[in-house]
Each structure stands twice: as structure tokens, then as C-alpha cells.
Amino acid sequence: MSLPEIVSRGEWRAARAELLVKEKAATRARDALNAERRGLPMVEVEEEYVFEGGDGKATLLELFDGRRQLVVYHFMFAPEWDAGCRSCSAFLDQVGHLAHLHARGTSFAAVSRAPYPKILPFKARMGWTLPWYSSCGSGFNRDFDVTLAREGELVERPGLSCFLRERDRVFHTYTTYERGLDGLGSTTSLLDLTALGRQEEWEEPKGRASAYGAPAGSERIRYHDEYDDWYGK
């Protein structure tokens, strides 16, 4: 095994300071990329997708649960499989408490092609409480390129899509796949993919920080059991 070189504390501090310069540059570059992502155009979703969840049938609009934004994790679970994908399961394990997303008007849900009666016991086995829906029977997975036809067979791949709601109209704003999921799972990393972002005053473009009449960004953070019910809706 190759291990780091052993040095004095002073040498470590000097090396750390040198690396910090590059880390700060990477942070600034990431902020610029996030702003460019928020500047992407959006396309209206006109297809009437119907999903099945714990409360029965639901439309894509209903998956928002009254909030302004929706983040969908495309969980790999084909109808013929007995269990969900291991890598997708590891991803959901690291998703933080949804109350912090909700406080920024953003809902989160997993969607798979497996029938809901297959999803339910696996969800219970994993101990997850987050919303998970079946898209079985709809073209949702194919339309968002997470179920692909290759050599006469259907192939699944992981992905994450973001949607924005304007009254009863739903718009698709962003999707990423596979390696684009690396490093995601925290509240801020998911918000960075959305059209409204973290809703901080310093973010570009301006004018997206103070939605819902609530404080902007980090001023809105509470303990997850202290958010008011109306926050984010």
C-alpha cells in the first residue's frame, strides 16, 4: 500500500496552504458552473405521467406535494428484478433529512420502473421513509433516458432530474446521469442542480433567493423538527 509521505507539522501546514489555493479556485469554478446551470432554459412537460405510490395513483404534478420544485432520483429497479440496485441503494442511504429541502420549497422522490408491490417490501427492508413511486406502465423512464433500448433489450441507468412548477404547469430544468451523480446526496448538492439553487442572496442570477416570503438561504435553516408546516409550500 502506498501511503502519504511523513513530514513535520510545519511542512504539512505549508503543503496544506498550497493545496488550499487550488481548493478555493475549484470552489469559485463550481459556483460559476452552478450559476450557468441555473441559466439553462426549461421545457414544459406536457405528457400526463401517472405513478403509483403509498397513497395510490399520482401525477407528476402531485409528486411536488405543493412545493415549487421537485428532484426525482431515477432508481434502477426493473420490473423483473427481485431487489433494487445496490449502487442506487447506497445513494439513497446518503440523502439527508428531507425537511431541509422542503424548507427551500423542494420535494424529493425516487422513481423506478418496478411495480409498486415490489418496491414496497424492498423500501421497508432498507428502512427508508422518503417518497418512492413506480412508473410502471408509463413512458417516464424512457422519456428521461434512464431506461434505454440496447440490442433489443431494455437497460437501466441511474439518473437525477429536476423539475419546476409554475401553478399547474410542470417544467423540466435539468437531468444528470451516472458519474454526474458523484458527490450528490447532501441538501446543498441537490439544490445546486435546481433552477432556484440554494436561494442564497449571493447566487446568480439574482431574484431567486426569497421565494415563499421566507428568509433567504442559510437564514432559513432550522433543526429539522422545528420547521413550520407551511415552509416551502
Side-chain angles (χ1 to χ4, degrees):
M1 181 183 295
S2 176
L3 298 176
E5 179 185 0
I6 300 173
V7 298
S8 68
R9 176 61 63 183
E11 289 172 312
W12 180 88
R13 286 197 178 104
R16 179 67 189 94
E18 185 178 345
L19 180 62
L20 181 60
V21 174
K22 297 178 181 179
E23 288 179 336
K24 292 293 187 182
T27 297
R28 290 191 292 270
R30 183 188 64 200
D31 289 343
L33 181 62
N34 290 338
E36 189 171 348
R37 183 185 295 113
R38 290 189 293 273
L40 284 173
M42 59 186 184
V43 59
E44 186 164 6
V45 180
E46 298 179 336
E47 181 72 24
E48 290 292 333
Y49 299 109
V50 178
F51 307 89
E52 184 177 1
D55 295 325
K57 303 293 185 181
T59 64
L60 183 59
L61 179 63
E62 289 171 328
L63 265 57
F64 282 75
D65 194 24
R67 299 182 181 91
R68 187 72 183 278
Q69 296 191 124
L70 170 67
V71 174
V72 168
Y73 181 67
H74 301 284
F75 192 109
M76 294 171 59
F77 195 164
E80 64 273 17
W81 298 359
D82 294 324
C85 165
R86 291 183 176 88
S87 295
C88 291
S89 298
F91 182 93
L92 285 195
D93 278 339
Q94 67 188 6
V95 173
H97 202 291
L98 296 185
H100 301 295
L101 277 176
H102 294 169
R104 287 175 172 85
T106 304
S107 291
F108 180 93
V111 172
S112 301
R113 209 160 50 89
Y116 192 71
K118 274 195 170 183
I119 291 175
L120 191 58
F122 183 72
K123 179 182 177 182
R125 171 188 167 187
M126 294 293 101
W128 296 326
T129 59
L130 54 78
W132 192 353
Y133 296 87
S134 169
S135 62
C136 187
S138 81
F140 183 76
N141 279 48
R142 289 197 185 189
D143 291 348
F144 287 90
D145 297 321
V146 289
T147 298
L148 308 173
R150 291 178 180 168
E151 300 180 355
E153 295 184 358
L154 294 180
V155 178
E156 306 291 321
R157 67 168 172 169
L160 188 146
S161 294
C162 301
F163 301 90
L164 180 70
R165 178 176 66 86
E166 183 64 23
R167 297 184 177 85
D168 290 339
R169 300 173 68 188
V170 174
F171 298 89
H172 174 220
T173 60
Y174 184 73
T175 294
T176 189
Y177 307 99
E178 297 168 339
R179 286 296 304 276
L181 302 169
D182 288 359
L184 299 180
S186 67
T187 298
T188 51
S189 69
L190 295 175
L191 289 171
D192 282 342
L193 302 184
T194 68
L196 299 183
R198 302 183 191 188
Q199 298 156 45
E200 300 277 4
E201 294 289 0
W202 54 265
E203 287 182 308
E204 298 289 344
K206 300 297 184 184
R208 302 185 186 181
S210 56
Y212 323 107
S218 56
E219 295 182 12
R220 202 177 310 178
I221 296 175
R222 304 286 186 271
Y223 294 111
H224 70 246
D225 61 353
E226 289 185 351
Y227 287 112
D228 294 330
D229 289 341
W230 65 268
Y231 247 20
K233 289 192 178 183

